[in-house]
Amino acid sequence: NTSATAASSSSDLNGKAAPDFSFKFADGTTKKLSDYRGTTVLLSFWALPQCEEMLPVLQETQKKHGESVSLVSVSLNAGSDQVKKYLSEKGFSFPTGYVDGKTAELVAGKYGLMGLPMTFIVDKTGVVRRGMLGVPKVEDISAKLAKIEAGGQ
């Protein structure tokens, strides 16, 4: 059981604009992170199989905060078809974006991904407020979201 820790490289992004990038949902819809301005975003980068423990956390967070927070879950796996099949078989219904290899490399560099899963909280203005490496508890995500929604860090 991996616990989440504040990621040192993510602190480089704290207080700065979240780097924008495009991703594609299973239905073929393309979105950009900047499309979510005006709402708090929980941005999670992960890949299978190493991040399997993160998936129930994302599902529960979506269920708990789906009304007030946009979950942007991004699979960095190369084969999106296998990931889609796995998520479906396991009953995970949170929205998942997929990126190509070039975008995955770009995102890893811009976000300073030191490992996976890595999760960021981006405020309504598009500024990174928190980065977490590893698998956080839903309660910890909820507490951080509440603090940021209230105008804190």
Side-chain angles (χ1 to χ4, degrees), residues 37-115:
R37 286 264 161 76
T39 182
T40 300
V41 173
L42 185 70
L43 172 62
S44 185
F45 296 107
W46 56 274
L48 291 174
Q50 66 267 38
C51 301
E52 196 171 356
E53 289 179 25
M54 185 67 186
L55 304 180
V57 172
L58 294 174
Q59 184 74 28
E60 186 61 29
T61 301
Q62 172 73 14
K63 198 158 65 169
K64 192 170 184 177
H65 297 284
E67 298 292 314
S68 59
V69 174
S70 292
L71 172 63
V72 177
S73 158
V74 180
S75 167
L76 298 180
N77 286 90
S80 63
D81 288 342
Q82 294 100 318
V83 174
K84 291 172 200 170
K85 183 177 178 204
Y86 178 87
L87 292 175
S88 175
E89 286 173 357
K90 297 291 182 178
F92 294 116
S93 59
F94 55 85
T96 300
Y98 301 92
V99 295
D100 60 26
K102 185 178 175 189
T103 304
E105 282 181 35
L106 192 70
V107 164
K110 284 183 176 182
Y111 280 87
L113 302 182
M114 301 176 303

Side-chain angles (χ1 to χ4, degrees), residues 1-4 57 61 132 134-144:
N1 191 1
T2 312
S3 66
V57 172
T61 301
M132 298 167 278
V135 181
K137 293 184 170 124
V138 175
E139 301 79 43
D140 293 340
I141 292 172
S142 295
K144 287 174 175 62

Side-chain angles (χ1 to χ4, degrees), residues 111-148:
Y111 280 87
L113 302 182
M114 301 176 303
L116 293 173
M118 191 138 182
T119 304
F120 296 88
I121 299 175
V122 181
D123 72 14
K124 293 176 180 182
T125 65
V127 173
V128 174
R129 294 290 169 208
R130 175 74 65 166
M132 298 167 278
L133 177 62
V135 181
K137 293 184 170 124
V138 175
E139 301 79 43
D140 293 340
I141 292 172
S142 295
K144 287 174 175 62
L145 286 169
K147 195 172 180 184
I148 289 163

